[in-house]
PDB file of all heavy atoms in Angstrom:
ATOM      1  N   ALA M 124     -16.814 -39.064  17.067  1.00  0.00           N
ATOM      2  CA  ALA M 124     -15.826 -39.531  16.097  1.00  0.00           C
ATOM      3  C   ALA M 124     -15.752 -38.532  14.948  1.00  0.00           C
ATOM      4  O   ALA M 124     -16.784 -38.088  14.423  1.00  0.00           O
ATOM      5  CB  ALA M 124     -16.208 -40.905  15.577  1.00  0.00           C
ATOM      6  N   VAL M 125     -14.525 -38.198  14.576  1.00  0.00           N
ATOM      7  CA  VAL M 125     -14.327 -37.181  13.546  1.00  0.00           C
ATOM      8  C   VAL M 125     -13.311 -37.693  12.524  1.00  0.00           C
ATOM      9  O   VAL M 125     -12.241 -38.192  12.904  1.00  0.00           O
ATOM     10  CB  VAL M 125     -13.797 -35.858  14.151  1.00  0.00           C
ATOM     11  CG1 VAL M 125     -13.646 -34.792  13.058  1.00  0.00           C
ATOM     12  CG2 VAL M 125     -14.710 -35.366  15.260  1.00  0.00           C
ATOM     13  N   LEU M 126     -13.663 -37.571  11.271  1.00  0.00           N
ATOM     14  CA  LEU M 126     -12.704 -37.764  10.182  1.00  0.00           C
ATOM     15  C   LEU M 126     -12.330 -36.379   9.672  1.00  0.00           C
ATOM     16  O   LEU M 126     -13.169 -35.656   9.136  1.00  0.00           O
ATOM     17  CB  LEU M 126     -13.301 -38.598   9.056  1.00  0.00           C
ATOM     18  CG  LEU M 126     -12.441 -38.695   7.785  1.00  0.00           C
ATOM     19  CD1 LEU M 126     -11.111 -39.363   8.065  1.00  0.00           C
ATOM     20  CD2 LEU M 126     -13.197 -39.420   6.670  1.00  0.00           C
ATOM     21  N   LEU M 127     -11.075 -36.010   9.893  1.00  0.00           N
ATOM     22  CA  LEU M 127     -10.590 -34.687   9.489  1.00  0.00           C
ATOM     23  C   LEU M 127      -9.685 -34.864   8.273  1.00  0.00           C
ATOM     24  O   LEU M 127      -8.735 -35.649   8.303  1.00  0.00           O
ATOM     25  CB  LEU M 127      -9.810 -34.059  10.643  1.00  0.00           C
ATOM     26  CG  LEU M 127      -9.551 -32.554  10.597  1.00  0.00           C
ATOM     27  CD1 LEU M 127     -10.850 -31.782  10.735  1.00  0.00           C
ATOM     28  CD2 LEU M 127      -8.583 -32.155  11.716  1.00  0.00           C
ATOM     29  N   GLU M 128      -9.992 -34.125   7.207  1.00  0.00           N
ATOM     30  CA  GLU M 128      -9.208 -34.222   5.978  1.00  0.00           C
ATOM     31  C   GLU M 128      -8.737 -32.825   5.571  1.00  0.00           C
ATOM     32  O   GLU M 128      -9.529 -31.883   5.559  1.00  0.00           O
ATOM     33  CB  GLU M 128     -10.044 -34.797   4.832  1.00  0.00           C
ATOM     34  CG  GLU M 128     -10.686 -36.130   5.098  1.00  0.00           C
ATOM     35  CD  GLU M 128     -11.692 -36.457   4.001  1.00  0.00           C
ATOM     36  OE1 GLU M 128     -11.271 -36.660   2.843  1.00  0.00           O
ATOM     37  OE2 GLU M 128     -12.898 -36.479   4.305  1.00  0.00           O
ATOM     38  N   LEU M 129      -7.473 -32.725   5.214  1.00  0.00           N
ATOM     39  CA  LEU M 129      -6.931 -31.495   4.652  1.00  0.00           C
ATOM     40  C   LEU M 129      -6.419 -31.811   3.251  1.00  0.00           C
ATOM     41  O   LEU M 129      -5.463 -32.569   3.090  1.00  0.00           O
ATOM     42  CB  LEU M 129      -5.794 -30.936   5.516  1.00  0.00           C
ATOM     43  CG  LEU M 129      -5.176 -29.625   5.014  1.00  0.00           C
ATOM     44  CD1 LEU M 129      -6.180 -28.478   5.087  1.00  0.00           C
ATOM     45  CD2 LEU M 129      -3.919 -29.271   5.811  1.00  0.00           C
ATOM     46  N   HIS M 130      -7.062 -31.238   2.257  1.00  0.00           N
ATOM     47  CA  HIS M 130      -6.692 -31.477   0.860  1.00  0.00           C
ATOM     48  C   HIS M 130      -5.793 -30.339   0.392  1.00  0.00           C
ATOM     49  O   HIS M 130      -6.127 -29.156   0.550  1.00  0.00           O
ATOM     50  CB  HIS M 130      -7.938 -31.586  -0.014  1.00  0.00           C
ATOM     51  CG  HIS M 130      -8.757 -32.801   0.308  1.00  0.00           C
ATOM     52  ND1 HIS M 130      -8.486 -34.037  -0.234  1.00  0.00           N
ATOM     53  CD2 HIS M 130      -9.811 -32.974   1.141  1.00  0.00           C
ATOM     54  CE1 HIS M 130      -9.347 -34.920   0.238  1.00  0.00           C
ATOM     55  NE2 HIS M 130     -10.171 -34.301   1.081  1.00  0.00           N
ATOM     56  N   VAL M 131      -4.656 -30.701  -0.181  1.00  0.00           N
ATOM     57  CA  VAL M 131      -3.597 -29.751  -0.499  1.00  0.00           C
ATOM     58  C   VAL M 131      -3.170 -29.909  -1.947  1.00  0.00           C
ATOM     59  O   VAL M 131      -3.054 -31.027  -2.461  1.00  0.00           O
ATOM     60  CB  VAL M 131      -2.370 -29.963   0.420  1.00  0.00           C
ATOM     61  CG1 VAL M 131      -1.270 -28.958   0.100  1.00  0.00           C
ATOM     62  CG2 VAL M 131      -2.768 -29.875   1.889  1.00  0.00           C
ATOM     63  N   ASP M 132      -2.933 -28.759  -2.595  1.00  0.00           N
ATOM     64  CA  ASP M 132      -2.363 -28.783  -3.940  1.00  0.00           C
ATOM     65  C   ASP M 132      -1.617 -27.468  -4.160  1.00  0.00           C
ATOM     66  O   ASP M 132      -1.791 -26.498  -3.416  1.00  0.00           O
ATOM     67  CB  ASP M 132      -3.454 -28.964  -5.008  1.00  0.00           C
ATOM     68  CG  ASP M 132      -2.902 -29.490  -6.330  1.00  0.00           C
ATOM     69  OD1 ASP M 132      -1.660 -29.677  -6.425  1.00  0.00           O
ATOM     70  OD2 ASP M 132      -3.691 -29.703  -7.266  1.00  0.00           O
ATOM     71  N   ALA M 133      -0.782 -27.439  -5.176  1.00  0.00           N
ATOM     72  CA  ALA M 133      -0.013 -26.244  -5.530  1.00  0.00           C
ATOM     73  C   ALA M 133       0.179 -26.223  -7.029  1.00  0.00           C
ATOM     74  O   ALA M 133       0.288 -27.278  -7.667  1.00  0.00           O
ATOM     75  CB  ALA M 133       1.335 -26.235  -4.821  1.00  0.00           C
ATOM     76  N   ASP M 134       0.208 -25.015  -7.597  1.00  0.00           N
ATOM     77  CA  ASP M 134       0.483 -24.914  -9.029  1.00  0.00           C
ATOM     78  C   ASP M 134       1.733 -24.089  -9.333  1.00  0.00           C
ATOM     79  O   ASP M 134       2.220 -24.099 -10.460  1.00  0.00           O
ATOM     80  CB  ASP M 134      -0.723 -24.349  -9.793  1.00  0.00           C
ATOM     81  CG  ASP M 134      -1.224 -23.023  -9.240  1.00  0.00           C
ATOM     82  OD1 ASP M 134      -0.500 -22.389  -8.440  1.00  0.00           O
ATOM     83  OD2 ASP M 134      -2.344 -22.616  -9.610  1.00  0.00           O
ATOM     84  N   PHE M 135       2.246 -23.346  -8.329  1.00  0.00           N
ATOM     85  CA  PHE M 135       3.504 -22.591  -8.449  1.00  0.00           C
ATOM     86  C   PHE M 135       3.489 -21.602  -9.623  1.00  0.00           C
ATOM     87  O   PHE M 135       4.520 -21.304 -10.198  1.00  0.00           O
ATOM     88  CB  PHE M 135       4.696 -23.543  -8.586  1.00  0.00           C
ATOM     89  CG  PHE M 135       4.852 -24.460  -7.409  1.00  0.00           C
ATOM     90  CD1 PHE M 135       4.462 -25.788  -7.492  1.00  0.00           C
ATOM     91  CD2 PHE M 135       5.359 -23.989  -6.213  1.00  0.00           C
ATOM     92  CE1 PHE M 135       4.582 -26.633  -6.394  1.00  0.00           C
ATOM     93  CE2 PHE M 135       5.491 -24.834  -5.108  1.00  0.00           C
ATOM     94  CZ  PHE M 135       5.100 -26.161  -5.204  1.00  0.00           C
ATOM     95  N   VAL M 136       2.309 -21.090  -9.931  1.00  0.00           N
ATOM     96  CA  VAL M 136       2.237 -20.141 -11.032  1.00  0.00           C
ATOM     97  C   VAL M 136       2.552 -18.741 -10.534  1.00  0.00           C
ATOM     98  O   VAL M 136       2.482 -18.441  -9.340  1.00  0.00           O
ATOM     99  CB  VAL M 136       0.848 -20.156 -11.712  1.00  0.00           C
ATOM    100  CG1 VAL M 136       0.574 -21.512 -12.327  1.00  0.00           C
ATOM    101  CG2 VAL M 136      -0.239 -19.776 -10.734  1.00  0.00           C
ATOM    102  N   ASP M 137       2.920 -17.895 -11.461  1.00  0.00           N
ATOM    103  CA  ASP M 137       3.253 -16.515 -11.134  1.00  0.00           C
ATOM    104  C   ASP M 137       2.033 -15.787 -10.591  1.00  0.00           C
ATOM    105  O   ASP M 137       0.892 -16.039 -11.001  1.00  0.00           O
ATOM    106  CB  ASP M 137       3.773 -15.808 -12.387  1.00  0.00           C
ATOM    107  CG  ASP M 137       4.351 -14.439 -12.083  1.00  0.00           C
ATOM    108  OD1 ASP M 137       5.532 -14.380 -11.716  1.00  0.00           O
ATOM    109  OD2 ASP M 137       3.610 -13.443 -12.201  1.00  0.00           O
ATOM    110  N   LEU M 138       2.287 -14.879  -9.668  1.00  0.00           N
ATOM    111  CA  LEU M 138       1.228 -14.090  -9.041  1.00  0.00           C
ATOM    112  C   LEU M 138       0.300 -13.457 -10.066  1.00  0.00           C
ATOM    113  O   LEU M 138      -0.921 -13.454  -9.917  1.00  0.00           O
ATOM    114  CB  LEU M 138       1.882 -13.015  -8.169  1.00  0.00           C
ATOM    115  CG  LEU M 138       1.009 -11.907  -7.617  1.00  0.00           C
ATOM    116  CD1 LEU M 138       0.081 -12.461  -6.560  1.00  0.00           C
ATOM    117  CD2 LEU M 138       1.869 -10.802  -7.018  1.00  0.00           C
ATOM    118  N   PHE M 139       0.888 -12.903 -11.144  1.00  0.00           N
ATOM    119  CA  PHE M 139       0.061 -12.169 -12.084  1.00  0.00           C
ATOM    120  C   PHE M 139      -0.727 -13.081 -13.012  1.00  0.00           C
ATOM    121  O   PHE M 139      -1.733 -12.666 -13.578  1.00  0.00           O
ATOM    122  CB  PHE M 139       0.903 -11.166 -12.868  1.00  0.00           C
ATOM    123  CG  PHE M 139       0.951  -9.842 -12.172  1.00  0.00           C
ATOM    124  CD1 PHE M 139       1.819  -9.636 -11.129  1.00  0.00           C
ATOM    125  CD2 PHE M 139       0.073  -8.833 -12.513  1.00  0.00           C
ATOM    126  CE1 PHE M 139       1.838  -8.440 -10.455  1.00  0.00           C
ATOM    127  CE2 PHE M 139       0.074  -7.628 -11.844  1.00  0.00           C
ATOM    128  CZ  PHE M 139       0.969  -7.426 -10.810  1.00  0.00           C
ATOM    129  N   ALA M 140      -0.301 -14.316 -13.158  1.00  0.00           N
ATOM    130  CA  ALA M 140      -1.141 -15.262 -13.873  1.00  0.00           C
ATOM    131  C   ALA M 140      -2.419 -15.517 -13.083  1.00  0.00           C
ATOM    132  O   ALA M 140      -3.503 -15.664 -13.652  1.00  0.00           O
ATOM    133  CB  ALA M 140      -0.380 -16.567 -14.100  1.00  0.00           C
ATOM    134  N   VAL M 141      -2.307 -15.548 -11.761  1.00  0.00           N
ATOM    135  CA  VAL M 141      -3.492 -15.695 -10.913  1.00  0.00           C
ATOM    136  C   VAL M 141      -4.344 -14.443 -10.986  1.00  0.00           C
ATOM    137  O   VAL M 141      -5.563 -14.500 -11.169  1.00  0.00           O
ATOM    138  CB  VAL M 141      -3.073 -15.982  -9.456  1.00  0.00           C
ATOM    139  CG1 VAL M 141      -4.304 -16.121  -8.568  1.00  0.00           C
ATOM    140  CG2 VAL M 141      -2.214 -17.234  -9.374  1.00  0.00           C
ATOM    141  N   LYS M 142      -3.707 -13.285 -10.877  1.00  0.00           N
ATOM    142  CA  LYS M 142      -4.432 -12.016 -10.884  1.00  0.00           C
ATOM    143  C   LYS M 142      -5.251 -11.841 -12.152  1.00  0.00           C
ATOM    144  O   LYS M 142      -6.396 -11.382 -12.124  1.00  0.00           O
ATOM    145  CB  LYS M 142      -3.455 -10.856 -10.739  1.00  0.00           C
ATOM    146  CG  LYS M 142      -4.113  -9.490 -10.848  1.00  0.00           C
ATOM    147  CD  LYS M 142      -3.082  -8.386 -10.955  1.00  0.00           C
ATOM    148  CE  LYS M 142      -3.796  -7.067 -11.265  1.00  0.00           C
ATOM    149  NZ  LYS M 142      -2.853  -5.986 -11.561  1.00  0.00           N
ATOM    150  N   GLU M 143      -4.678 -12.227 -13.272  1.00  0.00           N
ATOM    151  CA  GLU M 143      -5.318 -11.984 -14.565  1.00  0.00           C
ATOM    152  C   GLU M 143      -6.133 -13.167 -15.065  1.00  0.00           C
ATOM    153  O   GLU M 143      -6.599 -13.169 -16.201  1.00  0.00           O
ATOM    154  CB  GLU M 143      -4.248 -11.604 -15.593  1.00  0.00           C
ATOM    155  CG  GLU M 143      -3.528 -10.305 -15.240  1.00  0.00           C
ATOM    156  CD  GLU M 143      -2.295 -10.069 -16.087  1.00  0.00           C
ATOM    157  OE1 GLU M 143      -2.063 -10.849 -17.033  1.00  0.00           O
ATOM    158  OE2 GLU M 143      -1.560  -9.109 -15.796  1.00  0.00           O
ATOM    159  N   GLY M 144      -6.321 -14.186 -14.212  1.00  0.00           N
ATOM    160  CA  GLY M 144      -7.127 -15.327 -14.617  1.00  0.00           C
ATOM    161  C   GLY M 144      -6.446 -16.226 -15.624  1.00  0.00           C
ATOM    162  O   GLY M 144      -7.121 -16.941 -16.374  1.00  0.00           O
TER     163      GLY M 144
END
Side-chain angles (χ1 to χ4, degrees):
V125 182
L126 172 62
L127 197 67
E128 305 169 66
L129 181 66
H130 293 276
V131 181
D132 201 358
D134 54 14
F135 300 103
V136 297
D137 189 85
L138 169 70
F139 270 81
V141 179
K142 175 191 172 188
E143 297 168 7

